[in-house]
Amino acid sequence: MSIRMLPAAHIEKISPATDEQLILAYQQTGNQEHLAVLFLRYSDLVYGTALKYVRDADQAKDAVMNIYQELVQKLRSHEVAHFKSWLYVVTKNHCLMWLRKNKKNITIAFQPEFMQSGEDGHLDDLLAKEQQFKKLDNCVKSLQDEQQHTIRLFYLEGKCYKEITALTGFEWDKVRSLIQNGRRNLKKCMEKNA
């Protein structure tokens, strides 16, 4: 029996039976008309789910038909309490199996930003950053010894004011002052050498 898409209102006119009643009727009689009415209620869900996984309209339509054929067999022997949820899982599993089987055929879109080109733009960026680090290192070295020492402890070693006071023996206010003045002097030095 082939399945064709029908509006939901038309399906309800064909059979106002519940999902459970249609499943029971199909299991008892084997008449695919009961299964077709049931399946048509959720064909949009099946198609949408398949499309989400296979990402191709024609493949999704094929999946809908294949899933119906699976249901012809599976629904005869499975006890199904919530058909919609069960159908979703069957659809998802069908699509995942299809993806696994066709893994070698998956095409990935060309992304030029990952390709090597004749331009060495990324190399220029690295060189510019390296120059900035050299300037910064020279500016740190140009600071007076106490400022240089506290700046290195605070920024490069990640020490807090309290740890710096313990390491240097300076008062907390002096450490704060050295770091603030050192940061200001670094900024001036970097601007001057820009």
Side-chain angles (χ1 to χ4, degrees), residues 80-175:
V80 179
H82 302 286
F83 181 75
K84 185 178 178 182
S85 304
W86 181 79
L87 180 60
Y88 174 79
V89 172
V90 168
T91 302
K92 182 178 86 167
N93 290 341
H94 175 87
C95 293
L96 291 173
M97 291 301 289
W98 182 88
L99 287 170
R100 190 174 298 132
K101 185 175 115 185
N102 294 296
K103 191 175 188 179
K104 61 184 176 279
N105 297 331
I106 293 175
T107 306
I108 297 174
F110 174 70
Q111 296 177 344
E113 63 271 11
F114 293 123
M115 297 299 293
Q116 202 170 21
S117 68
E119 300 172 18
D120 289 330
H122 61 284
L123 214 53
D124 293 340
D125 291 343
L126 288 174
L127 291 174
K129 286 179 181 176
E130 187 178 337
Q131 289 294 344
Q132 284 292 95
F133 284 126
K134 285 182 182 176
K135 287 179 189 175
L136 181 60
D137 189 48
N138 288 336
C139 286
V140 169
K141 288 176 182 174
S142 72
L143 296 173
Q144 58 169 293
D145 289 341
E146 290 179 344
Q147 278 183 356
Q148 185 181 145
H149 187 58
T150 54
I151 288 288
R152 286 186 188 278
L153 288 172
F154 187 74
Y155 287 105
L156 300 179
E157 296 183 28
K159 305 286 185 196
C160 67
Y161 284 15
K162 188 175 181 180
E163 291 172 314
I164 295 171
T165 59
L167 290 170
T168 61
F170 300 144
E171 294 290 324
W172 191 89
D173 287 335
K174 183 171 183 173
V175 169

Side-chain angles (χ1 to χ4, degrees), residues 14-31:
I14 293 172
S15 176
T18 65
D19 292 353
E20 293 78 16
Q21 291 169 333
L22 288 168
I23 292 169
L24 185 60
Y26 174 65
Q27 289 175 337
Q28 289 174 346
T29 65
N31 185 342

Side-chain angles (χ1 to χ4, degrees), residues 13-47:
K13 287 179 187 172
I14 293 172
S15 176
T18 65
D19 292 353
E20 293 78 16
Q21 291 169 333
L22 288 168
I23 292 169
L24 185 60
Y26 174 65
Q27 289 175 337
Q28 289 174 346
T29 65
N31 185 342
Q32 285 191 31
E33 286 182 20
H34 301 295
L35 179 60
V37 170
L38 179 62
F39 187 73
L40 284 171
R41 287 181 180 171
Y42 301 105
S43 59
D44 289 342
L45 168 77
V46 173
Y47 176 74

